[in-house]
């Protein structure tokens, strides 16, 4: 696995008030630190990783599973040719969402409160 954030949607806020962007300490201490720790791992290995409660930590999602606002934003960004995206769990509610193409993860969104795919 390799990754980058050059396609990231990091401007403005979500309707629930969360910034799409991130602070430099979030980038250095959470996002880059975590994704860098997975760099070089095999994707099958990444997809098999589980939490302490045995839930899969990192996996694909259909775009249609996401909140309406995320689906609309996906289309606005001309990403509708991708009907699935990949999600990394960075913590209890923190997630990095993006596209996996030929072993490379293009991060699109970073979220802190599990609202893009709500379990509530």
């Amino acid at each position: 696995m390799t990754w980058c954030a050059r396609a990231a949607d990091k401007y403005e806020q979500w309707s629930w008030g969360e910034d799409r962007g991130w602070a430099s300490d979030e980038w250095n201490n959470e996002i880059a630190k975590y994704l860098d720790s997975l760099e070089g791992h095999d994707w099958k290995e990444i997809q098999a990783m589980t939490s302490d409660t045995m839930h899969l930590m990192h996996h694909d999602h259909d775009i249609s599973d996401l909140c309406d606002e995320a689906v609309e934003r996906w289309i606005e960004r001309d990403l509708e040719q991708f009907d699935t995206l990949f999600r990394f769990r960075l913590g209890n509610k923190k997630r990095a969402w993006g596209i996996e193409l030929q072993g490379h993860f293009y991060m699109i969104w970073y979220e802190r409160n599990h609202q893009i795919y709500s379990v509530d």
Side-chain angles (χ1 to χ4, degrees):
M1 187 278 270
T2 59
W3 73 280
C4 71
R6 63 180 162 247
D9 179 14
K10 57 185 178 178
Y11 302 103
E12 301 173 349
Q13 291 185 332
W14 294 102
S15 64
W16 52 87
E18 181 178 346
D19 288 333
R20 288 193 189 100
W22 47 80
S24 60
D25 64 318
E26 287 178 305
W27 176 260
N28 293 323
N29 299 322
E30 296 173 26
I31 303 165
K33 183 178 180 178
Y34 192 83
L35 294 176
D36 282 349
S37 75
L38 295 175
E39 201 161 39
H41 282 73
D42 182 86
W43 278 96
K44 287 183 180 185
E45 182 181 10
I46 290 169
Q47 290 176 315
M49 292 177 177
T50 58
S51 68
D52 54 358
T53 59
M54 301 309 291
H55 286 95
L56 290 176
M57 293 179 63
H58 317 300
H59 53 82
D60 293 323
H61 268 280
D62 288 336
I63 296 299
S64 61
D65 291 342
L66 307 183
C67 71
D68 291 343
E69 183 177 354
V71 173
E72 291 169 14
R73 190 76 180 174
W74 194 256
I75 293 167
E76 287 172 12
R77 297 191 47 82
D78 294 323
L79 296 169
E80 64 267 24
Q81 72 268 27
F82 305 104
D83 54 2
T84 61
L85 70 168
F86 196 83
R87 182 210 82 175
F88 283 99
R89 179 180 178 178
L90 279 65
N92 185 33
K93 293 185 176 184
K94 296 175 182 179
R95 306 289 186 265
W97 296 89
I99 303 162
E100 184 270 317
L101 288 174
Q102 298 178 343
H104 188 81
F105 177 69
Y106 294 87
M107 188 174 85
I108 305 296
W109 297 313
Y110 170 69
E111 69 167 329
R112 299 154 192 88
N113 296 305
H114 210 311
Q115 296 294 311
I116 291 175
Y117 175 74
S118 181
V119 293
D120 296 334

